Tab-separated table of all heavy atoms in Angstrom:
chain	number	residue	atom	x	y	z
A	44	PRO	N	43.381	-10.433	77.900
A	44	PRO	CA	42.704	-10.007	79.092
A	44	PRO	C	43.179	-8.745	79.798
A	44	PRO	O	42.822	-8.311	80.817
A	44	PRO	CB	42.752	-11.218	80.012
A	44	PRO	CG	44.143	-11.776	79.701
A	44	PRO	CD	44.339	-11.572	78.135
A	45	ALA	N	44.326	-8.231	79.256
A	45	ALA	CA	44.933	-7.082	79.877
A	45	ALA	C	44.362	-5.781	79.294
A	45	ALA	O	45.008	-5.128	78.417
A	45	ALA	CB	46.498	-7.092	79.646
A	46	ARG	N	43.165	-5.545	79.618
A	46	ARG	CA	42.464	-4.336	79.025
A	46	ARG	C	41.556	-3.692	80.105
A	46	ARG	O	41.232	-4.283	81.079
A	46	ARG	CB	41.696	-4.729	77.742
A	46	ARG	CG	40.527	-5.700	78.011
A	46	ARG	CD	39.761	-5.984	76.707
A	46	ARG	NE	38.845	-6.986	76.844
A	46	ARG	CZ	37.896	-7.268	75.968
A	46	ARG	NH1	37.919	-6.639	74.766
A	46	ARG	NH2	37.001	-8.291	76.211
A	47	PHE	N	41.068	-2.447	79.709
A	47	PHE	CA	40.140	-1.877	80.652
A	47	PHE	C	39.293	-0.807	79.862
A	47	PHE	O	39.703	-0.432	78.736
A	47	PHE	CB	40.860	-1.053	81.768
A	47	PHE	CG	41.800	0.075	81.283
A	47	PHE	CD1	41.358	1.266	81.120
A	47	PHE	CD2	43.116	-0.270	81.033
A	47	PHE	CE1	42.178	2.326	80.711
A	47	PHE	CE2	43.947	0.723	80.596
A	47	PHE	CZ	43.504	2.006	80.467
A	48	VAL	N	38.201	-0.378	80.441
A	48	VAL	CA	37.346	0.763	79.908
A	48	VAL	C	37.369	1.754	81.023
A	48	VAL	O	37.002	1.423	82.153
A	48	VAL	CB	35.974	0.327	79.475
A	48	VAL	CG1	35.137	1.493	79.057
A	48	VAL	CG2	35.959	-0.743	78.325
A	49	TYR	N	37.670	2.990	80.658
A	49	TYR	CA	37.655	4.011	81.721
A	49	TYR	C	36.694	5.134	81.147
A	49	TYR	O	36.760	5.602	80.048
A	49	TYR	CB	39.061	4.651	81.844
A	49	TYR	CG	39.030	5.920	82.640
A	49	TYR	CD1	38.547	5.973	83.868
A	49	TYR	CD2	39.699	7.082	82.129
A	49	TYR	CE1	38.591	7.133	84.741
A	49	TYR	CE2	39.741	8.268	82.894
A	49	TYR	CZ	39.152	8.305	84.193
A	49	TYR	OH	39.179	9.413	84.839
A	50	VAL	N	35.729	5.464	81.931
A	50	VAL	CA	34.717	6.520	81.621
A	50	VAL	C	34.898	7.649	82.691
A	50	VAL	O	34.577	7.519	83.808
A	50	VAL	CB	33.260	5.940	81.733
A	50	VAL	CG1	32.303	7.033	81.232
A	50	VAL	CG2	33.198	4.649	80.920
A	51	PRO	N	35.518	8.740	82.271
A	51	PRO	CA	35.721	9.840	83.202
A	51	PRO	C	34.494	10.455	83.724
A	51	PRO	O	33.468	10.600	82.962
A	51	PRO	CB	36.477	10.910	82.294
A	51	PRO	CG	37.087	10.132	81.158
A	51	PRO	CD	35.969	9.088	80.903
A	52	GLY	N	34.461	10.765	85.007
A	52	GLY	CA	33.329	11.405	85.672
A	52	GLY	C	33.471	12.994	85.430
A	52	GLY	O	34.416	13.489	84.832
A	53	TYR	N	32.465	13.693	85.986
A	53	TYR	CA	32.454	15.141	85.758
A	53	TYR	C	32.348	15.825	87.069
A	53	TYR	O	32.434	17.070	87.172
A	53	TYR	CB	31.348	15.558	84.839
A	53	TYR	CG	30.005	15.013	85.209
A	53	TYR	CD1	29.241	15.769	86.158
A	53	TYR	CD2	29.418	13.878	84.602
A	53	TYR	CE1	27.862	15.297	86.486
A	53	TYR	CE2	28.141	13.487	84.941
A	53	TYR	CZ	27.433	14.141	85.905
A	53	TYR	OH	26.223	13.693	86.237
A	54	LYS	N	32.103	15.214	88.216
A	54	LYS	CA	31.914	15.875	89.529
A	54	LYS	C	33.231	16.313	89.967
A	54	LYS	O	34.241	15.626	89.787
A	54	LYS	CB	31.292	14.870	90.565
A	54	LYS	CG	29.860	14.616	90.331
A	54	LYS	CD	29.443	13.415	91.184
A	54	LYS	CE	29.583	13.658	92.698
A	54	LYS	NZ	28.596	14.699	93.194
A	55	PRO	N	33.300	17.525	90.571
A	55	PRO	CA	34.638	18.021	91.109
A	55	PRO	C	35.162	17.105	92.263
A	55	PRO	O	36.351	17.161	92.446
A	55	PRO	CB	34.311	19.459	91.563
A	55	PRO	CG	32.779	19.462	91.783
A	55	PRO	CD	32.252	18.544	90.765
A	56	ASP	N	34.321	16.392	92.873
A	56	ASP	CA	34.715	15.485	94.008
A	56	ASP	C	34.591	13.991	93.620
A	56	ASP	O	34.318	13.166	94.366
A	56	ASP	CB	33.848	15.749	95.271
A	56	ASP	CG	32.330	15.476	95.045
A	56	ASP	OD1	31.934	15.422	93.868
A	56	ASP	OD2	31.656	15.341	96.088
A	57	ALA	N	34.692	13.730	92.281
A	57	ALA	CA	34.477	12.369	91.844
A	57	ALA	C	35.368	11.336	92.452
A	57	ALA	O	36.600	11.610	92.680
A	57	ALA	CB	34.666	12.381	90.260
A	58	ALA	N	34.845	10.132	92.710
A	58	ALA	CA	35.592	8.920	93.078
A	58	ALA	C	35.620	8.126	91.855
A	58	ALA	O	35.010	8.329	90.825
A	58	ALA	CB	34.773	8.240	94.202
A	59	VAL	N	36.516	7.064	91.863
A	59	VAL	CA	36.567	6.103	90.845
A	59	VAL	C	35.818	4.900	91.338
A	59	VAL	O	36.200	4.251	92.366
A	59	VAL	CB	38.108	5.684	90.508
A	59	VAL	CG1	38.054	4.663	89.351
A	59	VAL	CG2	38.884	6.938	90.195
A	60	LEU	N	34.876	4.377	90.511
A	60	LEU	CA	34.166	3.187	90.859
A	60	LEU	C	34.643	2.009	89.988
A	60	LEU	O	34.847	2.231	88.778
A	60	LEU	CB	32.576	3.390	90.567
A	60	LEU	CG	32.050	4.650	91.182
A	60	LEU	CD1	30.530	4.825	90.910
A	60	LEU	CD2	32.311	4.842	92.613
A	61	VAL	N	34.961	0.951	90.531
A	61	VAL	CA	35.787	-0.115	89.928
A	61	VAL	C	34.976	-1.511	89.937
A	61	VAL	O	34.397	-1.761	90.995
A	61	VAL	CB	37.090	-0.334	90.541
A	61	VAL	CG1	37.917	-1.390	89.890
A	61	VAL	CG2	37.913	1.045	90.726
A	62	ALA	N	34.963	-2.174	88.829
A	62	ALA	CA	34.482	-3.628	88.852
A	62	ALA	C	35.234	-4.304	87.662
A	62	ALA	O	35.731	-3.690	86.822
A	62	ALA	CB	33.031	-3.695	88.582
A	63	HIS	N	35.218	-5.722	87.761
A	63	HIS	CA	35.911	-6.358	86.651
A	63	HIS	C	34.869	-7.182	85.892
A	63	HIS	O	34.050	-7.835	86.484
A	63	HIS	CB	37.058	-7.181	87.200
A	63	HIS	CG	36.830	-8.260	88.168
A	63	HIS	ND1	36.466	-9.619	87.680
A	63	HIS	CD2	36.709	-8.355	89.474
A	63	HIS	CE1	36.233	-10.396	88.763
A	63	HIS	NE2	36.469	-9.627	89.920
A	64	ALA	N	35.137	-7.307	84.637
A	64	ALA	CA	34.170	-7.980	83.753
A	64	ALA	C	34.361	-9.413	83.647
A	64	ALA	O	33.509	-10.207	83.269
A	64	ALA	CB	34.273	-7.362	82.321
Side-chain angles (χ1 to χ4, degrees):
R46 63 176 175 173
F47 64 88
V48 174
Y49 171 55
V50 185
Y53 55 82
K54 288 168 62 72
D56 61 345
V59 183
L60 312 184
V61 184
H63 63 87

